[in-house]
Amino acid sequence: MTTPPSDSPSRIDLPALEAWWWISGDDPSGAAQAICERWPAREPAPLWLGTGEALSTAGAMPVRALAMAKAATQLGGEQSLVIFDAAQPATGFDPDAFGAVAGTLKAGGLLVLMTPAAWAAADPAPVPDGDHARLAHWPIEREQLTARYLARLARHLSAHASMLHWPQGGHLPAPSLDSGNQAARPDAIADSDCLTQDQAASVAALEALAPARPVVISADRGRGKSGALGIAAARYLAAGQDVWLTAPRPAAVSAIFERLAALLPRGQREGNVFRLPAGQAEDDTASDSELRFLAPDAIEAARLACHDEALPRLFVDEAAAIPTPLLKGYLAHFPRIAFATTVHGYEGTGRGFQLRFRHHLERQCPGWQALEMTTPVRWAPGDPLEALTDDLLLLSAQPPELPEPCAKNAQQWLEGCDIVVLERDALARDEAALRQLFGLLVQAHYRTTPADLRQLLDTPGLTLMAIRQRDVTTGRDAWLGVVAAVEEGGFPTPLAHDIWCGKRRPRGHLLAQSLAAHAGHQGAAGARWWRVLRIAVHPALWRRGQGARLLQALEQQALAAGVTRLQGFVPLRMGLKRDAASGEHAVMMGKAIGESGSGESALQGQLAQDALLGALQQDFQRLLPSLLKHELHGLPPVLADRLRQRGSEADLATLTPAACAQRLDWYRRGGGGLALVRPWLETALEACEPARLDEASHHGLVLALGGQDAPAFISWAEGQGIVGRKARDRWCRAAAGRLIEQSE
């Protein structure tokens, strides 16, 4: 990224190209357009992020315009010129998009960042931009938010010597290339297909994959990790052996397919399959060999369709971004398997992956092998753009290293720690604290992305509390745990009613709106909640009660703010589909706070104190057996048993006609779905006399109880002229309405 392109035509009258240019002004697009016009006509064409319309330049190839939301499609590819348009008010600076494209720039490339003029001035400070809209939860508008995150970016940009700042109307800055960054490659690499020694070592390990001896490769972006997978896969195909490949998305493995095409020119790519025709393999095999890409959640079905003895090798790229339960399943069933992951990157974190997965590997496969690739292949070592991107997005943020006294006597050492409420204006300027706290969150959650830092600093109504240990000798703080909670709910009655019956969905308020719209309690939208967004404790202090300590402190803070409900502890609602990120069903928990005591008696006291939570919990327990029979039938028995609360079975079994009518009235108005009213609908159908509801409607509803997508109901519905899922849903709601009308 710091080396000028060797093939640049002499007509380029820009100074020698540097990694970073920063253009600021009220309308800096003209300067960026000029750079595109003077850019050499070569592939790939310049990429302009942040505009929704195609751009063209005179005397050069067209510019490729791409919306910020589509930046992830560039992962796995390479760029030579990227214009990142953060100056437009409608788009602003998207941290995830920036993180995605910054690492795709290759040596000799140029990244141009356009920002408003305020970023370069001490006063006025940056104002909320278009990307802040995702944080503007009802009733707060984007313009009312703070811009702590943008102010921090502006300070860091101004402080970096590698940044070439070109203010609108000012003189073009002259770069000074650091020749020390243009490190030479090693002269002799044992493997001629590899670019670095550690890439060659990784390829050798992949070629030697043995049963029960998985390989784990970790690397920062641009180190040739995907290239190593591609080289090894090509050699397996050449030997007549199949390979399966998975990653969070097909775009993430485009470099692997490109490597296959380069090494096996007689091979053919057909969609997500690269096939080497029969007779092209080294052993003249009589059948084709192929690499097949499969989505992470499609691996199990493909495995079941294949004989165990015929299972191919499985390569898992960007493993940190794949749910741990899926990874454990791969490890259990594939004898020869390799995992590759990015250490500090856009999609997940390799540190968090290894922290969570390492213990499982050691238990299941003691002979597993860990390899790390450190030498960049896409740019020179010590590249300033890589360092600056890491600094801006905190990609390498990590928890503090704990002193020796903690390891020897952690409990005594923790007694000297206190819990504090963090003031975010000060936190945004305390880089050491911010790095430690964000590092805790990165370690705790594998899908932490650059945008989470903006959420931490600028989300309205957010309370941030942390465990602090102060070194009395140095006065420095070590941050050992953090919890973030955001206030939700408080909707006025008319709006709460519209949310309850599915007519409105204001921005934000995930917990309050979900409990109203999917659990059927309008009061959940009107109530005030604190929802726990994230909680993390230093890995060295796990299982020492520090998470509970944080939550107890958060409860007291919520009570002081007049909030008596906190997300956590008692199951209130469960998602019917597995979350795409975690691979698990999401569970919403709630707790009434302010009641003293502990144990089952305290729990019953809290539920009795809060009628809303009590009703939500009772409805969840009434619904759970039906869900476990249908939508949640694959839930592990241990988890299902833990979800069951030992309440009064008589209360759960008793459904009055009035309660059924109320629940079905909510459903017919557009609330929830049929799966969420099944017990009430079953009770109403059992109590309904045949003469009070026509036979066809009664039969259709009975079939629908097995699922609106069940073959029996679909077949019946099509016979009645009801075609399509939406049509079936409308019919069910209308039929339920007729049922309660007949019952009145």
Side-chain angles (χ1 to χ4, degrees), residues 402-607:
L402 300 189
E404 188 176 345
C406 173
K408 290 183 176 180
N409 194 339
Q411 204 59 42
Q412 182 179 350
W413 187 74
L414 285 169
E415 291 175 1
C417 301
D418 59 345
I419 295 181
V420 297
V421 178
L422 295 169
E423 202 282 311
R424 289 188 289 167
D425 285 335
L427 178 62
R429 292 182 172 273
D430 188 343
E431 198 66 16
L434 195 61
R435 280 186 170 274
Q436 291 184 30
L437 292 166
F438 197 62
L440 288 169
L441 296 174
V442 166
Q443 289 267 10
H445 197 272
Y446 61 93
R447 288 300 296 266
T448 299
T449 71
D452 291 328
L453 182 60
R454 185 202 288 262
Q455 182 187 52
L456 197 71
L457 292 176
D458 292 342
T459 294
L462 184 135
T463 296
L464 200 61
M465 302 185 72
I467 303 174
R468 177 182 63 185
Q469 202 282 335
R470 174 156 291 175
D471 189 320
V472 294
T473 304
T474 64
R476 295 177 179 172
D477 294 331
W479 299 95
L480 311 177
V482 60
V483 62
V486 64
E487 184 170 343
E488 293 193 359
F491 291 101
T493 300
L495 182 52
H497 179 271
D498 287 348
I499 293 170
W500 171 72
C501 62
K503 293 180 179 179
R504 297 279 301 277
R505 195 65 186 259
R507 299 184 308 273
H509 302 266
L510 172 66
L511 177 73
Q513 294 202 67
S514 182
L515 291 177
H518 300 295
H521 286 263
Q522 180 178 324
R528 291 178 64 201
W529 305 79
W530 271 17
R531 178 166 66 93
V532 177
L533 291 176
R534 304 285 291 276
I535 183 169
V537 173
H538 196 291
L541 303 176
W542 287 355
R543 301 185 183 278
R544 296 186 181 274
Q546 297 308 297
R549 184 183 175 195
L550 273 172
L551 290 176
Q552 289 167 5
L554 185 67
E555 287 182 24
Q556 297 306 311
Q557 193 69 18
L559 279 173
V563 175
T564 59
R565 298 181 185 92
L566 185 71
Q567 178 208 3
F569 311 119
V570 178
L572 304 176
R573 179 178 177 264
M574 191 164 189
L576 303 185
K577 295 182 179 179
R578 293 186 183 273
D579 181 76
S582 68
E584 303 288 355
H585 294 274
V587 180
M588 290 187 171
M589 315 280 283
K591 181 180 182 182
I593 55 179
E595 188 77 13
S596 61
S598 61
E600 187 70 20
S601 61
L603 174 61
Q604 296 302 324
Q606 290 162 4
L607 294 179

Side-chain angles (χ1 to χ4, degrees), residues 720-742:
Q720 303 293 315
I722 307 166
V723 180
R725 199 178 197 288
K726 289 184 178 180
R728 294 196 299 275
D729 182 67
R730 287 194 298 269
W731 182 89
C732 287
R733 293 181 188 275
R738 293 195 298 273
L739 174 64
I740 59 175
E741 287 172 0
Q742 294 294 333

Side-chain angles (χ1 to χ4, degrees), residues 96-267:
D96 286 345
F98 191 85
V101 299
T104 66
L105 217 62
K106 58 185 178 181
L110 176 65
L111 190 147
V112 178
L113 172 65
M114 300 192 300
T115 75
W119 281 43
D123 186 35
V127 297
D129 62 15
D131 197 63
H132 272 87
R134 68 177 84 183
L135 304 180
H137 301 165
W138 178 96
I140 298 173
E141 297 297 332
R142 181 191 60 163
E143 294 75 16
Q144 298 173 270
L145 299 180
T146 63
R148 302 181 188 96
Y149 179 82
L150 298 181
R152 175 187 173 273
L153 289 186
R155 289 194 301 271
H156 283 245
L157 289 173
S158 300
H160 271 266
S162 64
M163 168 63 64
L164 290 178
H165 182 207
W166 185 5
Q168 189 173 358
H171 293 291
L172 194 67
S176 57
L177 289 174
D178 183 358
S179 59
N181 287 332
Q182 302 177 32
R185 300 287 183 204
D187 293 330
I189 299 175
D191 192 323
S192 60
D193 290 329
C194 298
L195 299 175
T196 63
Q197 295 286 13
D198 49 10
Q199 188 180 59
S202 296
V203 170
L206 291 169
E207 286 188 277
L209 270 182
R213 297 195 53 144
V215 169
V216 177
I217 300 172
S218 57
D220 276 334
R221 295 171 66 186
R223 266 64 183 174
K225 169 177 57 65
S226 294
L229 293 175
I231 295 168
R235 292 176 182 177
Y236 279 125
L237 266 60
Q241 300 174 43
D242 293 342
V243 177
W244 285 358
L245 171 68
T246 191
R249 56 175 63 87
V253 296
S254 59
I256 296 176
F257 279 100
E258 290 172 6
R259 198 68 172 155
L260 288 172
L263 294 173
L264 301 173
R266 296 182 180 179

Side-chain angles (χ1 to χ4, degrees), residues 353-396:
F353 160 75
Q354 290 204 13
L355 187 68
R356 294 186 319 279
F357 202 51
R358 181 184 212 99
H359 298 303
H360 185 76
L361 277 167
E362 290 175 347
R363 287 194 305 269
Q364 303 298 320
C365 307
W368 73 284
Q369 183 179 3
L371 293 150
E372 185 173 3
M373 300 173 64
T374 59
T375 308
V377 300
R378 199 178 292 160
W379 50 78
D383 182 75
L385 175 55
E386 183 177 33
L388 183 54
T389 303
D390 179 280
D391 179 43
L392 292 179
L393 304 182
L394 292 185
L395 292 179
S396 60

Side-chain angles (χ1 to χ4, degrees), residues 614-615 618-623 625 647-663 679-684 686-687:
Q618 188 179 64
D619 282 354
F620 177 76
Q621 292 301 318
R622 179 177 286 119
L623 189 57
S648 169
E649 295 184 4
D651 290 342
L652 294 178
T654 303
L655 272 175
T656 65
C660 291
Q662 183 181 36
R663 190 75 170 191
W680 293 266
L681 181 56
E682 286 176 335
T683 301
E686 289 173 1

